[in-house]
Amino acid sequence: EAQVTQNPRYLITVTGKKLTVTCSQNMNHEYMSWYRQDPGLGLRQIYYSMNVEVTDKGDVPEGYKVSRKEKRNFPLILESPSPNQTSLYFCASSPLTGIRYGYTFGSGTRLTVV
Amino acid sequence: AQTVTQSQPEMSVQEAETVTLSCTYDTSESDYYLFWYKQPPSRQMILVIRQEAYKQQNATENRFSVNFQKAAKSFSLKISDSQLGDAAMYFCAYTVPDRGSTLGRLYFGRGTQLTVWP
């Protein structure tokens, strides 16, 4: 089944403790992206990647890192999480030539930083 | 700035009735694509319908249709014969597919929470 897999689905952590949210897709998509969703703000892009070793900032990149060492994986790293990073996170992917058809989204990761 | 405005934070509709969700957007591009996504309580983002800006004909998917007014930069979603399963958060979004550094970025509105009453 074609899908984007995010893990974990829920995560509670403490301020300052490094964490990684994994994202993997099995559709050979070039384009991958991370979004955060906050009440009243919709979804905002954090980082995106157009292919292996090609990443760039979105609208809200502060406090996050990403890497794209393999085409299928695009982990989101919070090196020193803070409470304002408590949010719902989505990974999404698309073929570069198919972005006009929309993304395939993962199931989301609910992160709470205390 | 690229923006999407959904002016109705909440809407409600009676089962079997029709409801329209509003969306306006702001872009200077002529070629772009518009989307409505549905997010039920499961949190999954589900593509409901898409519209190509260069097409004048409004898109339709079963009970879902759009009213696309390019000059007014308006893209409303009409849900006919509403069902309980339509209850969800609905997001309007667009992307400009061939635009350099923002290639692929989806710009989202803040969402409209739809309640369906039996």
Side-chain angles (χ1 to χ4, degrees):
Chain A
E1 180 189 353
Q3 59 185 358
V4 176
T5 303
Q6 278 182 244
N7 281 297
R9 189 161 170 81
Y10 297 92
L11 179 60
I12 301 174
T13 191
V14 296
T15 299
K17 185 177 181 182
K18 181 179 179 179
L19 66 92
T20 299
V21 184
T22 63
C23 174
S24 180
Q25 50 93 5
N26 62 359
M27 297 165 283
N28 203 36
H29 287 169
E30 296 88 2
Y31 189 93
M32 298 185 75
S33 183
W34 279 101
Y35 281 79
R36 61 177 287 174
Q37 180 183 348
D38 301 291
L41 295 179
L43 283 81
R44 295 175 293 167
Q45 191 181 55
I46 303 170
Y47 269 95
Y48 67 96
S49 169
M50 291 197 195
N51 216 323
V52 176
E53 303 293 0
V54 181
T55 64
D56 207 346
K57 297 176 181 178
D59 293 318
V60 288
E62 294 77 22
Y64 305 95
K65 283 178 58 177
V66 293
S67 68
R68 187 95 181 268
K69 295 185 171 59
E70 305 165 282
K71 197 171 186 179
R72 62 183 293 123
N73 295 324
F74 189 46
L76 179 69
I77 302 157
L78 286 72
E79 297 222 323
S80 183
S82 62
N84 65 11
Q85 293 178 297
T86 292
S87 187
L88 177 58
Y89 291 87
F90 284 99
C91 180
S93 75
S94 170
L96 263 182
T97 55
I99 287 169
R100 61 199 65 203
Y101 298 105
Y103 295 162
T104 300
F105 281 88
S107 299
T109 296
R110 172 74 69 187
L111 172 65
T112 302
V113 183
V114 297
Chain B
Q2 315 277 5
T3 59
V4 180
T5 302
Q6 294 179 247
S7 58
Q8 308 149 316
E10 298 176 348
M11 291 282 286
S12 62
V13 64
Q14 201 83 28
E15 201 175 5
E17 297 296 310
T18 296
V19 64
T20 299
L21 308 184
S22 301
C23 173
T24 59
Y25 57 93
D26 185 18
T27 179
S28 57
E29 303 293 330
S30 59
D31 182 26
Y32 51 89
Y33 296 81
L34 295 150
F35 307 89
W36 278 98
Y37 280 90
K38 170 185 178 181
Q39 187 181 47
S42 66
R43 303 190 323 217
Q44 187 67 40
M45 293 289 286
I46 302 164
L47 179 62
V48 174
I49 199 166
R50 63 182 286 273
Q51 172 80 40
E52 294 144 333
Y54 62 85
K55 285 189 177 178
Q56 292 186 340
Q57 185 173 3
N58 290 322
T60 300
E61 289 286 344
N62 301 314
R63 297 182 295 106
F64 298 87
S65 61
V66 298
N67 183 3
F68 173 49
Q69 303 288 330
K70 190 171 184 178
K73 296 181 181 177
S74 171
F75 183 60
S76 60
L77 175 69
K78 185 170 85 171
I79 307 174
S80 303
D81 186 26
S82 298
Q83 301 176 358
L84 295 177
D86 295 333
M89 179 72 84
Y90 287 82
F91 290 100
C92 176
Y94 79 92
T95 189
V96 182
D98 299 315
R99 190 166 186 264
S101 64
T102 60
L103 171 66
R105 186 176 303 181
L106 264 181
Y107 297 93
F108 284 88
R110 299 184 177 191
T112 297
Q113 182 67 50
L114 178 66
T115 301
V116 181
W117 301 101

